[in-house]
Amino acid sequence: AQSVTQLGSHVSVSEGALVLLRCNYSSSVPPYLFWYVQYPNQGLQLLLKYTTGATLVKGINGFEAEFKKSETSFHLTKPSAHMSDAAEYFCAVSRGNNAGNMLTFGGGTRLMVKP
Amino acid sequence: GAVVSQHPSWVICKSGTSVKIECRSLDFQATTMFWYRQFPKQSLMLMATSNEGSKATYEQGVEKDKFLINHASLTLSTLTVTSAHPEDSSFYICSASVERGYGYTFGSGTRLTVV
């Protein structure tokens, strides 16, 4: 069984400040980990993913995340927040890269960026 | 590449009527599609996994007779909400697994309002 916990349903930062969105997972097999962003009334857009290899993963829009197996974490960071980063962010885990593997989502974190 | 087109983006229907939501993979073949439901300010909950040419696999608690899923071709999956009630009002999102290791791509979602 898999599960994802996102600490903090709401995170507020000032424009230009560091963004840190936390994600912890549990998985009985080596996980595939994803971060998605959702804007109001829209679907999900992939920010980045970890499958195997390098544990520091760089994504779009300046985001990156680091897979830490010992901490079962996959926190999302961005050095400097932009107003356009305000959105809902979801961390997700899957069992592998077969087409039939479903995604399990965390509860989401709403990022607010103050001017 | 790897685009999933979901229609309609929003729909209002009367109680007791049925609504069909379509998801098409535009530039790839989706052997597996996933249907999610999202309540306001909440995460995505998997409803069912749709496999081309076979019956969908529903998650526990999802009424298969109410939420009919058809995946008759490699590029089209449909979700029909039958005899809709106001409590079925929600945001429905489809997703497809693209290719091994790539990840998942999502439709833009359908906002269903039952009045």
Side-chain angles (χ1 to χ4, degrees):
Chain A
Q2 302 167 101
S3 67
V4 178
T5 302
Q6 291 182 239
L7 295 176
S9 59
H10 293 79
V11 170
S12 181
V13 300
S14 298
E15 190 174 19
L18 172 70
V19 176
L20 171 60
L21 304 183
R22 299 178 185 276
C23 173
N24 288 88
Y25 70 91
S26 67
S27 177
S28 58
V29 299
Y32 281 45
L33 295 158
F34 306 81
W35 274 101
Y36 288 90
V37 61
Q38 183 182 35
Y39 296 98
N41 292 311
Q42 294 187 26
L44 275 67
Q45 180 183 8
L46 179 68
L47 282 176
L48 49 81
K49 63 181 175 76
Y50 168 79
T51 54
T52 58
T55 56
L56 181 62
V57 180
K58 295 185 183 297
I60 62 172
N61 301 339
F63 285 95
E64 63 182 37
E66 186 171 11
F67 169 59
K68 292 186 177 181
K69 184 178 179 180
S70 61
E71 299 178 7
T72 61
S73 68
F74 192 57
H75 302 329
L76 181 71
T77 61
K78 182 174 180 177
S80 176
H82 294 167
M83 296 297 291
S84 59
D85 294 327
E88 188 84 19
Y89 292 80
F90 293 98
C91 182
V93 63
S94 74
R95 292 170 55 88
N97 62 352
N98 292 321
N101 288 324
M102 55 175 265
L103 279 172
T104 300
F105 285 90
T109 298
R110 181 167 298 276
L111 175 65
M112 295 168 283
V113 182
K114 299 175 292 186
Chain B
V3 175
V4 170
S5 175
Q6 184 173 347
H7 292 282
S9 56
W10 60 270
V11 58
I12 301 173
C13 71
K14 292 184 178 180
S15 288
T17 61
S18 295
V19 173
K20 179 184 286 188
I21 302 170
E22 291 188 349
C23 260
R24 294 181 184 273
S25 56
L26 298 185
D27 47 5
F28 68 100
Q29 293 183 329
T31 56
T32 302
M33 280 197 177
F34 305 90
W35 287 94
Y36 294 87
R37 182 174 183 177
Q38 185 180 30
F39 290 106
K41 301 185 187 303
Q42 294 188 27
S43 188
L44 283 74
M45 300 301 297
L46 181 67
M47 298 175 66
T49 302
S50 163
N51 293 294
E52 185 267 336
S54 63
K55 292 183 179 180
T57 302
Y58 290 82
E59 295 300 300
Q60 191 173 6
V62 177
E63 299 175 61
K64 59 182 66 177
D65 294 331
K66 181 168 190 60
F67 298 100
L68 300 179
I69 292 173
N70 184 279
H71 195 160
S73 78
L74 288 171
T75 59
L76 175 63
S77 177
T78 62
L79 167 66
T80 301
V81 183
T82 63
S83 187
H85 290 281
E87 56 265 31
D88 298 326
S89 298
S90 189
F91 194 58
Y92 294 88
I93 306 175
C94 66
S95 172
S97 179
V98 181
E99 59 181 315
R100 292 180 68 87
Y102 183 86
Y104 304 79
T105 187
F106 287 80
S108 55
T110 298
R111 170 76 56 197
L112 171 63
T113 303
V114 185
V115 297

